[in-house]
Amino acid sequence: PKTVTYIGLESISCKALKDIHYDGTMAQWDDITIDDFYLTNLPATVHCSDGNILTSSYCGDNVKWTLDENGVLTVYGTGNMYSYEDGCYAPWSDKNESVTSIVVEEGVTSIGVYVFMGCVNAKSVSIPNTVTAIKYEAFWGCKSLKEVVIPEGVKTLSYMTFGWCDSLESVTVPSTLESLDGDNIYTGVFYKCQNLKNINVSENNDVYSSDDGVVFSKDKSEIVLYPEGREAAEYQIPSSVRTISYHAFM
């Protein structure tokens, strides 16, 4: 009923829950305080009395998500998103194939492990400059992404953040990025991105630089990453290079 103002911890623990019929408006639903882990993390559809349908739940302590009828997955709120490990899945995981674009709004500070993994039809992603870290395999298998702009503010990308993004062709790296090669020497950030042709690094980045889409250390003494999708039959490594990084030509 619309008189409910609080839903307590473990008051609703039915993991098969798919639909909630609420006798109040969408605005009234948003005012309810929900502490129940299962309810805030299940992909349950809320049917409001005013005709609004919400496929919304928490994906962080102060972060929520919605998926509209056009396939736009919006993440909004403040703070870090949850990570989904050890058999846990993002609350929209059963709707992954319906996602056509991903919008993370300003206020979110990190994108968690496996969060958008398997959103195979998402053609675009928007990340705000409040995000400072994108964790491992966050966008793994997003096979329809063609271009990614990593915004100013992001400092770290972990291993396989964009692994197996088959259509990815271009990536823009900001001045704030401090770690591009992840923390696993065998699987880089762009592992198996077979069509990736250009990675363009901001000229103001203090750690990395780029030349014709190839990533180097700032002083160009190390070649960090040669995009896997480049079609040239041969490549002349600049004479300034002294070190070839792990998985530089993977």
Side-chain angles (χ1 to χ4, degrees), residues 34-43 56-59 65 82 91:
I34 301 175
D35 284 342
D36 190 281
F37 174 82
Y38 296 102
L39 180 57
T40 58
N41 285 279
L42 281 174
S56 176
S57 66
Y58 285 85
C59 53
W65 67 278
Y82 292 139

Side-chain angles (χ1 to χ4, degrees), residues 205-224:
N205 191 293
D206 292 331
V207 180
Y208 301 106
S209 62
S210 61
D211 184 2
D212 191 29
V214 180
V215 182
F216 298 86
S217 59
K218 184 66 176 181
D219 63 0
K220 289 189 169 56
S221 65
E222 178 180 1
I223 184 168
V224 176

Side-chain angles (χ1 to χ4, degrees), residues 147-148 150 168-173 190 196 198-201:
E147 180 180 6
V148 171
I150 300 167
L168 189 60
E169 296 179 356
S170 174
V171 175
T172 300
V173 174
F190 304 107
L196 182 59
N198 291 287
I199 303 173
N200 300 303
V201 180

Side-chain angles (χ1 to χ4, degrees), residues 226 230-237 249:
Y226 182 89
R230 294 177 76 90
E231 297 174 352
E234 58 183 51
Y235 177 69
Q236 176 95 33
I237 297 176
F249 289 91

Side-chain angles (χ1 to χ4, degrees), residues 143-206:
K143 296 177 179 294
S144 297
L145 286 178
K146 290 190 175 182
E147 180 180 6
V148 171
V149 176
I150 300 167
E152 293 292 330
V154 173
K155 295 182 178 180
T156 60
L157 299 176
S158 295
Y159 66 90
M160 289 203 291
T161 298
F162 294 97
W164 294 94
C165 290
D166 296 354
S167 299
L168 189 60
E169 296 179 356
S170 174
V171 175
T172 300
V173 174
S175 66
T176 53
L177 194 72
E178 299 171 355
S179 175
L180 178 61
D181 58 355
D183 46 15
N184 184 314
I185 64 173
Y186 300 109
T187 53
V189 173
F190 304 107
Y191 183 70
K192 294 298 181 181
C193 290
Q194 299 174 358
N195 286 296
L196 182 59
K197 296 176 176 62
N198 291 287
I199 303 173
N200 300 303
V201 180
S202 167
E203 293 181 356
N204 297 320
N205 191 293
D206 292 331

Side-chain angles (χ1 to χ4, degrees), residues 9 24 37 46 48 63 85 90 104 107 119 125 133 142 153 164 177-178 198 234 244 248 250:
L9 183 65
F37 174 82
V46 180
C48 298
V63 183
E85 303 174 89
V104 181
C119 291
V125 58
C142 290
W164 294 94
L177 194 72
E178 299 171 355
N198 291 287
E234 58 183 51
I244 297 176
M250 181 177 284

Side-chain angles (χ1 to χ4, degrees), residues 42-46 53-57 65-68 73 92 95:
L42 281 174
T45 299
V46 180
I53 298 175
L54 304 175
T55 52
S56 176
S57 66
W65 67 278
T66 60
L67 178 62
D68 70 18
L73 175 58
W92 53 81
K95 302 177 180 70

